[in-house]
Amino acid sequence: MATDQEFNELRPYRDNEIHQVFEQLLKEESFIELLKYLFPQVPIKDFVNQLLSITTIKEFQIGVVYPYIKEIIRNTTKGVTAEGLDNLDPNKSYIFISNHRDIVLDSAFLNILLHEHGHETSEIAIGDNLLIYPWITQLVKLNKSFVVRRNLPARQMLQSSILMSKYIRYNITERNQSVWIAQREGRSKDGDDRTQTSLLKMINMSGDGDFERSFKEVQIVPLAISYEYDPCDYLKAHEFLMKSNNPEYTKTQADDLNHMASGIQGRKGRVHFKAGVPLDKELDGLNELDKNEQLNKLAEIIDDHIHNNYKLWPGNFIAADAIEGNRNYAHKYTDEDVRVFNDYINEHISRLDADKEFIHSSLMEMYANPVKNFYKE
């Protein structure tokens, strides 16, 4: 059997470690400033005392994280709804593989919903490119996040992937702990959600060599996450513009922080999560395919579930009609929907001092692509 010690470099903190971490965090001036910003109504001394009274990760999530995320839902959304979670067994663990729109809130909203539907919260895969300061690493590991290492040399990347694969399987099969991981590295920038076969290859590294049995064991649940509005859409469009002007362009750490803050603070409209059923019978017969075809077919199965469960909003259909110059989907929206959506798009375009025609086109493609790529009447 595996042990926690084998995964110290990537795993979240456990209950017996949190007090030492809290004491370290409370020495960080930038962390204290963050607390003052996030919880302005709470005297800092009271908040420090609350932290130091916490004895478990669950208490931290319920007492600190949960109320803050609920406040985000109240202030920046028109409601977060869910389907399918009631069909999952709260006594079992799963790998939730989902499309990825927001750096912080995809997994944060999922854990709120899991908690409210009687499930334990999931552990969260987070890229180390986002862990800009040591205290951010400590904070996310307190919130059940494990670290995915990026941009390593080939040999180290292989070793890191094997370790992560073992850790995910250890969570599911030995700790009965669910895991959330995005279907691809990084967020979808254009609304076209596709599962990377490299993710599935990584998960399979810890299997026993039998492809079907390996994936049945970890209980993959495809999860569709649908935001009516993406608060980072204009930032993603600007990134497209920068890359079109300079193919070597990459975001800075400051850009990542800006995206995280915009995602948290920006308006999202309605948000919907829909979980599929754990993949089982659909995996039958995959052993008969060659290795590459196995991965491609499994990615296709996951994508079909996500696409079929994705909730399309009026803005998606408005954008699709605008791009095609017709009204094929006019029955999916009202004149008021058009006004609200166009006002939203124009307001986001106005935030950038950039090529407004390019930004507008990118935004419309972003919202139209879910309709163009996987909508079925």
Side-chain angles (χ1 to χ4, degrees):
M1 291 180 64
T3 64
D4 269 356
Q5 284 66 37
E6 295 176 43
F7 309 107
N8 280 347
E9 68 179 70
L10 59 85
R11 67 170 176 81
Y13 296 122
R14 305 303 186 211
D15 292 346
N16 65 323
E17 298 169 313
I18 62 176
H19 261 276
Q20 183 179 355
V21 178
F22 284 146
E23 289 171 1
Q24 292 171 350
L25 281 172
L26 293 172
K27 294 175 184 176
E28 290 283 347
E29 187 175 335
S30 53
F31 176 69
I32 297 298
E33 292 302 314
L34 176 68
L35 291 181
K36 292 177 181 177
Y37 174 75
L38 295 180
F39 305 97
Q41 73 282 8
V42 181
I44 193 65
K45 185 180 289 188
D46 291 350
F47 204 101
V48 168
N49 289 336
Q50 180 189 0
L51 286 182
L52 293 177
S53 71
I54 289 171
T55 59
T56 68
I57 296 294
K58 188 169 186 176
E59 283 180 37
F60 175 71
Q61 288 196 311
I62 303 259
V64 178
V65 178
Y66 181 89
Y68 181 64
I69 300 301
K70 289 293 284 187
E71 194 68 16
I72 290 172
I73 290 172
R74 279 191 291 271
N75 293 335
T76 72
T77 80
K78 291 184 177 179
V80 177
T81 53
E83 291 180 80
L85 295 179
D86 289 335
N87 298 326
L88 301 177
D89 187 342
N91 297 311
K92 292 183 178 180
S93 56
Y94 307 94
I95 299 179
F96 294 97
I97 296 182
S98 79
N99 58 318
H100 190 22
R101 288 288 190 273
D102 187 87
I103 294 171
V104 175
L105 294 180
D106 289 351
S107 55
F109 286 165
L110 172 62
N111 274 345
I112 290 285
L113 294 168
L114 287 172
H115 173 68
E116 292 179 346
H117 285 76
H119 295 260
E120 291 296 319
T121 55
S122 67
E123 286 197 4
I124 301 160
I126 185 169
D128 64 357
N129 57 301
L130 302 173
L131 307 179
I132 298 166
Y133 304 114
W135 64 264
I136 294 181
T137 304
Q138 292 174 313
L139 190 59
V140 300
K141 289 174 73 173
L142 283 169
N143 194 36
K144 294 177 71 170
S145 294
F146 61 93
V147 180
V148 180
R149 300 186 68 191
R150 309 278 196 212
N151 302 318
L152 295 172
R155 184 178 180 82
Q156 287 179 255
M157 180 61 78
L158 176 61
Q159 293 170 339
S160 178
S161 295
I162 292 171
L163 185 67
M164 184 163 62
S165 179
K166 288 179 178 177
Y167 181 68
I168 291 172
R169 195 170 297 270
Y170 164 64
N171 266 336
I172 302 298
T173 62
E174 296 185 42
R175 297 186 63 239
N176 197 27
Q177 169 62 63
S178 292
V179 167
W180 172 86
I181 193 165
Q183 68 181 169
R184 61 184 306 110
E185 182 179 332
R187 294 163 297 156
S188 170
K189 306 296 195 300
D190 60 2
D192 188 8
D193 302 305
R194 308 286 169 179
T195 301
Q196 282 181 325
T197 56
S198 56
L199 167 68
L200 305 178
K201 185 177 181 180
M202 178 275 292
I203 293 172
N204 195 41
M205 285 177 174
S206 56
D208 63 3
D210 184 299
F211 191 88
E212 291 176 24
R213 187 165 60 232
S214 170
F215 281 100
K216 287 184 178 183
E217 182 179 55
V218 294
Q219 292 283 284
I220 290 176
V221 173
L223 177 70
I225 305 176
S226 314
Y227 290 80
E228 185 171 15
Y229 300 118
D230 180 346
C232 292
D233 53 17
Y234 69 105
L235 297 174
K236 294 175 182 178
H238 186 252
E239 187 178 339
F240 279 137
L241 175 61
M242 298 301 287
K243 285 183 176 178
S244 72
N245 294 334
N246 175 16
E248 303 301 314
Y249 169 81
T250 57
K251 295 203 309 292
T252 64
Q253 290 184 335
D255 290 329
D256 283 329
L257 283 175
N258 189 26
H259 280 243
M260 283 190 271
S262 296
I264 291 170
Q265 297 168 351
R267 63 175 171 139
K268 302 156 193 71
R270 292 165 287 185
V271 182
H272 189 69
F273 283 62
K274 186 169 183 179
V277 296
L279 299 185
D280 188 76
K281 293 297 183 184
E282 289 172 284
L283 304 180
D284 291 344
L286 293 185
N287 280 350
E288 299 172 13
L289 305 176
D290 67 38
K291 288 187 176 180
N292 285 333
E293 286 191 13
Q294 287 175 333
L295 293 169
N296 288 333
K297 182 60 179 177
L298 179 53
E300 181 183 315
I301 291 169
I302 294 170
D303 289 348
D304 282 346
H305 278 267
I306 292 175
H307 295 168
N308 289 335
N309 288 334
Y310 192 91
K311 188 173 183 65
L312 293 160
W313 307 102
N316 299 116
F317 294 106
I318 293 165
D321 275 355
I323 286 173
E324 295 300 324
N326 56 39
R327 290 178 55 83
N328 288 344
Y329 300 112
H331 59 293
K332 294 290 186 179
Y333 53 83
T334 66
D335 289 343
E336 177 64 10
D337 290 330
V338 174
R339 184 193 67 76
V340 171
F341 180 71
N342 286 334
D343 284 350
Y344 169 86
I345 292 293
N346 291 332
E347 193 273 325
H348 271 210
I349 291 172
S350 71
R351 298 183 183 192
L352 297 172
D353 183 16
D355 183 337
K356 297 192 184 303
E357 185 175 340
F358 184 99
I359 298 297
H360 182 271
S361 176
S362 296
L363 290 174
M364 298 304 275
E365 286 285 348
M366 200 181 299
Y367 283 97
N369 271 338
V371 175
K372 292 165 60 179
N373 292 324
F374 44 80
Y375 174 66
K376 298 173 184 175
E377 285 280 6

